[in-house]
Amino acid sequence: MPTDGSDVFEAACARTVLSGSEQLPAIAALRIGTFNLLAPCYKRLPDTRGPMGRRMREAQFEDLWAARADATMRMLSGLETADVLCLQEFWFENSYQAIARAALSAKYDFHTLQRTGVKKDGVVTLVNRKRVRCVESEALRFHEHGCDHRVALLSVLELRNKPKLRFVLVNTHLTFPHNEADHQTRLREAQVLTIFVERYVYEKQLTNAPIIIAGDMNGEYSDQVCRHFHDCGFREAMFSAEQCRQSSNFDEEHMVPDDSTVNSSDMELDESLTTDVITHITHVGDRTHCDHIWIRAPFATRSTSNAIEFSHGRCVADSRAWTLQATRVRVLPSDTSCFTWPEKYKLSDHRPIMADLEIKHLSKPGRTLSEQNDAIRMCKRVDHIDSDHEEFLSAEHCDG
């Protein structure tokens, strides 16, 4: 399988966060990846039956899972170097962890969070230590908020060549929708997550930091969970830019309309974009696009100084806003279109996604305080919110 990270899906950024805003050159570039590894404890083996008649799991056969783990980690190590890799279904079995660390620890620092309850997997955020430093991390355990035994790992990261420019990245894996109750659980998890992020960036004075939420959302682009992220101001990296017409793997049938005059902060969720991308084959054989990288540009602040300054991760400039844009998004492996499933691909039931992002600033003002408050209020769509959440989400507590 090719491991050079060459393009299957490319996106050329054609929109700005604010329509008509003049952009200056990028001040930073990020490469973010997300990949559900398919933990051996969940991988069902064909043509095998246990004592209860159920298909046996790969975790019962060390020679099988160890070989797949070794091949998976070698593939990740051979990719174009990412700044951050968000992995889900990382198996917290000692030998499995040893395989991963042997292949990747020379390049990446490991930040891990195991699921609650009896689950043996969790999320891992790999941080390229030459390019990025993890300032701090915070765990969100959804079970503590009345949800399933899922988790999210929030990390505050800074680029080493721009040590005061910080961004917030969240790695998560939401509940699989077996039934309608699970759909509601997923929505609750998304709501809890966005409130958690909003509260965190407010309390840590990071309201002007770019935010990225990556992982397995277990839902299509147009479902209620993704709609919630969209309503909270996030944009799916894959669809936040015009898709490149020069790509031979991209035909006109799948093109996003070229409408660079649209104010993307006010765009309605375009449900037509959900149709054909395939990043996952479920255990019942459904082909779906459930792996996402959501991005949100930071809010504008104002300063009396003309010079750009950085303080506690807050990008401050005179009447300028920082914007986060996707310049290219790729679905791997590279020898198969993102609209079909690579039949010879056996490393996981998910495909890795790599997104190239740019942080820029605009010469015109960004979101006003009122617009910021409106965006934060969108995250208030939870049936029951604690009184302290109500206080936090009120307009008077929003940082200008």
Side-chain angles (χ1 to χ4, degrees):
M1 183 182 66
T3 59
D4 60 358
S6 56
D7 304 336
V8 170
F9 183 102
E10 288 196 357
C13 189
R15 297 191 179 106
T16 62
V17 173
L18 297 174
S19 61
S21 295
E22 178 185 351
Q23 296 182 53
L24 299 180
I27 61 168
L30 300 171
R31 178 168 289 155
I32 306 295
T34 183
F35 183 35
N36 183 318
L37 299 167
L38 178 55
C41 53
Y42 302 133
K43 180 176 172 59
R44 297 170 173 85
L45 299 179
D47 303 322
T48 61
R49 297 291 173 183
M52 303 297 293
R54 296 180 177 179
R55 284 193 293 170
M56 302 179 75
R57 304 300 174 101
E58 185 187 55
Q60 299 172 254
F61 303 91
E62 184 172 359
D63 57 334
L64 294 181
W65 66 252
R68 184 169 67 90
D70 182 67
T72 299
M73 302 310 163
R74 284 190 288 107
M75 180 274 291
L76 291 175
S77 178
L79 288 174
E80 290 181 83
T81 302
D83 295 312
V84 185
L85 285 173
C86 298
L87 305 180
Q88 303 87 44
E89 288 196 24
F90 183 88
W91 195 29
F92 283 84
E93 194 278 337
N94 290 337
S95 297
Y96 186 93
Q97 292 191 69
I99 292 172
R101 292 182 183 274
L104 300 171
S105 61
K107 185 183 299 183
Y108 296 102
D109 290 327
F110 281 61
H111 301 272
T112 65
L113 179 61
Q114 187 172 347
R115 290 173 63 182
T116 54
V118 299
K119 299 298 184 179
K120 302 299 183 183
D121 69 304
V123 299
V124 175
T125 301
L126 301 180
V127 177
N128 183 341
R129 68 172 64 89
K130 289 184 178 181
R131 286 266 298 153
V132 180
R133 184 177 78 90
C134 183
V135 178
E136 62 182 20
S137 296
E138 185 152 336
L140 171 61
R141 297 174 176 87
F142 290 110
H143 184 64
E144 297 173 357
H145 301 271
C147 302
D148 199 1
H149 288 282
R150 301 279 176 165
V151 294
L153 180 61
L154 181 152
S155 301
V156 179
L157 305 172
E158 67 180 18
L159 297 179
R160 292 194 180 275
N161 62 349
K162 293 188 179 295
K164 295 299 179 68
L165 176 55
R166 295 181 178 179
F167 62 99
V168 175
L169 181 137
V170 181
N171 180 6
T172 193
H173 184 189
L174 302 184
T175 291
F176 184 87
H178 293 281
N179 49 48
E180 182 57 33
D182 288 338
H183 278 291
Q184 295 306 311
T185 297
R186 284 179 59 244
L187 179 58
R188 173 68 184 179
E189 289 168 349
Q191 293 166 333
V192 168
L193 176 59
T194 49
I195 290 177
F196 169 76
V197 172
E198 296 291 355
R199 182 167 190 164
Y200 183 89
V201 298
Y202 170 75
E203 292 178 346
K204 299 292 184 176
Q205 295 187 318
L206 289 167
T207 54
N208 230 48
I211 301 174
I212 303 165
I213 299 178
D216 180 0
M217 308 301 164
N218 267 318
E220 292 276 0
Y221 175 70
S222 61
D223 81 351
Q224 60 182 352
V225 167
C226 292
R227 182 177 296 278
H228 173 75
F229 287 126
H230 187 277
D231 288 347
C232 289
F234 291 91
R235 296 294 173 264
E236 222 285 5
M238 187 175 289
F239 298 129
S240 66
E242 179 192 10
Q243 295 160 352
C244 183
R245 286 180 169 80
Q246 286 72 34
S247 173
S248 60
N249 295 9
F250 228 96
D251 57 55
E252 291 294 329
E253 179 183 354
H254 301 103
M255 298 305 297
V256 175
D258 182 7
D259 187 3
S260 57
T261 64
V262 173
N263 182 344
S264 63
S265 64
D266 295 329
M267 283 175 58
E268 292 296 324
L269 188 71
D270 188 346
E271 297 185 7
S272 68
L273 300 182
T274 187
T275 50
D276 297 323
V277 174
I278 301 170
T279 67
H280 174 46
I281 295 185
T282 71
H283 59 284
V284 295
D286 295 333
R287 302 188 174 206
T288 183
H289 172 203
C290 66
D291 303 278
H292 302 274
I293 298 177
W294 292 92
I295 62 176
R296 193 175 79 185
F299 301 118
T301 63
R302 287 172 171 78
S303 161
T304 58
S305 170
N306 289 323
I308 298 172
E309 59 185 27
F310 300 87
S311 175
H312 303 294
R314 299 182 62 193
C315 311
V316 182
D318 181 23
S319 299
R320 285 178 178 165
W322 299 102
T323 179
L324 182 66
Q325 294 181 330
T327 59
R328 187 172 60 171
V329 179
R330 293 156 288 164
V331 179
L332 304 177
S334 61
D335 58 356
T336 305
S337 164
C338 62
F339 306 113
T340 59
W341 184 260
E343 298 301 333
K344 295 182 180 180
Y345 172 71
K346 303 299 182 184
L347 295 184
S348 175
D349 56 356
H350 290 255
R351 298 174 68 177
I353 297 177
M354 300 287 288
D356 289 346
L357 310 175
E358 286 185 346
I359 300 175
K360 300 180 178 182
H361 63 252
L362 305 175
S363 63
K364 295 183 180 180
R367 292 179 180 177
T368 65
L369 176 60
S370 175
E371 290 170 328
Q372 175 177 341
N373 291 345
D374 289 343
I376 292 176
R377 288 192 189 97
M378 298 303 296
C379 297
K380 197 175 174 181
R381 294 183 175 182
V382 185
D383 292 335
H384 304 287
I385 298 179
D386 297 338
S387 59
D388 59 336
H389 285 163
E390 287 278 3
E391 179 183 4
F392 162 64
L393 290 171
S394 63
E396 58 267 30
H397 289 276
C398 295
D399 190 355

